[in-house]
Amino acid sequence: KNQVEQSPQSLIILEGKNCTLQCNYTVSPFSNLRWYKQDTGRGPVSLTIMTFSENTKSNGRYTATLDADTKQSSLHITASQLSDSASYICVVSASRNQFYFGTGTSLTVIP
Amino acid sequence: NAGVTQTPKFRVLKTGQSMTLLCAQDMNHEYMYWYRQDPGMGLRLIHYSVGEGTTAKGEVPDGYNVSRLKKQNFLLGLESAAPSQTSVYFCASSYSSGSGDTGELFFGEGSRLTVL
């Protein structure tokens, strides 16, 4: 069964600290993996995309990694800011218009 | 460039009433989707469309109908609303490259529906 699991479910960190979010998937065949950020009351917005051949990709303070062998991805946030408070959703694509969603990690950054 | 626009943003219905959610995109995307998002659950696909005039069922289609008469618009209808349909609804659109790779999903801001 195609599934995407994220951990932790929620996380609270102090402003300025780093954190890492995890995504494990069993989706096959694999096309790509994206991390989305969803601010409260808004729609999700793509942060990064990882294809099968990519191990690491950065977008500012966000760095995503992908291990296609173990089917794991992580999203590392460096020097967190209050504006990073959001839900982070891992989405794995199997093929054209087939998307599998994780339930998200709710991140709260406190001053 | 507006991207994906949903209307209305909020709506309260009584059980048994009907309504239509409108989604419009200005990116010339072929694919459009309707999702619902409930607490503790991931986004779940209701219906989707791979092009003008075509629609297909997703994971949770019961109680909903859709239409895609124009490429830029995707309508979601509730014929007889039930309290279980209380949720936040998101429309999304995506492109696809010629190689078949799945493109990025572009989401609207969501429509919060409450059924009493």
Side-chain angles (χ1 to χ4, degrees):
Chain A
K1 183 179 179 181
N2 291 316
Q3 286 186 319
V4 178
E5 295 183 349
Q6 293 186 242
S7 62
Q9 186 174 6
S10 62
L11 184 62
I12 300 175
I13 62 173
L14 290 173
E15 185 179 11
K17 298 296 186 182
N18 304 334
C19 68
T20 300
L21 314 180
Q22 300 289 343
C23 174
N24 297 336
Y25 62 93
T26 59
V27 177
S28 181
F30 175 89
S31 178
N32 59 57
L33 182 149
R34 293 182 185 268
W35 284 93
Y36 285 79
K37 179 186 180 188
Q38 185 177 20
D39 292 318
T40 301
R42 308 293 295 273
V45 176
S46 178
L47 289 173
T48 66
I49 176 174
M50 306 291 291
T51 59
F52 188 84
S53 59
E54 295 175 310
N55 299 117
T56 303
K57 184 172 287 187
S58 293
N59 177 6
R61 295 181 296 102
Y62 300 101
T63 299
T65 64
L66 175 67
D67 186 332
D69 292 331
T70 62
K71 297 186 177 181
Q72 295 179 327
S73 176
S74 66
L75 181 69
H76 185 76
I77 303 174
T78 304
S80 62
Q81 299 176 359
L82 297 179
S83 59
D84 292 330
S85 294
S87 179
Y88 292 84
I89 303 171
C90 176
V91 183
V92 180
S93 300
S95 64
R96 191 176 302 181
N97 74 264
Q98 282 190 313
F99 301 93
Y100 297 90
F101 292 82
T103 55
T105 293
S106 176
L107 174 65
T108 302
V109 181
I110 58 175
Chain B
N1 192 343
V4 178
T5 304
Q6 294 181 228
T7 53
K9 290 183 170 50
F10 302 93
R11 186 73 186 270
V12 178
L13 290 177
K14 293 181 179 179
T15 297
Q17 288 184 319
S18 63
M19 74 158 296
T20 300
L21 298 176
L22 171 63
C23 176
Q25 54 98 0
D26 60 4
M27 296 172 283
N28 202 34
H29 286 169
E30 288 293 331
Y31 305 133
M32 296 188 73
Y33 316 80
W34 276 106
Y35 293 92
R36 60 178 289 173
Q37 187 175 44
D38 301 293
M41 305 185 74
L43 285 151
R44 292 184 292 169
L45 182 64
I46 304 171
H47 285 280
Y48 65 97
S49 169
V50 300
E52 181 179 324
T54 69
T55 63
K57 294 181 179 179
E59 179 185 356
V60 288
D62 294 341
Y64 306 95
N65 57 76
V66 289
S67 65
R68 184 120 181 248
L69 299 180
K70 295 183 179 181
K71 184 178 183 178
Q72 64 268 32
N73 295 336
F74 195 28
L75 278 63
L76 177 70
L78 284 71
E79 293 180 341
S80 180
S84 60
Q85 294 178 304
T86 294
S87 186
V88 181
Y89 292 85
F90 286 97
C91 176
S93 69
S94 71
Y95 60 89
S96 179
S97 68
S99 63
D101 289 338
T102 304
E104 176 182 350
L105 283 167
F106 292 83
F107 287 89
E109 293 297 282
S111 298
R112 183 174 296 277
L113 174 65
T114 301
V115 183
L116 302 176

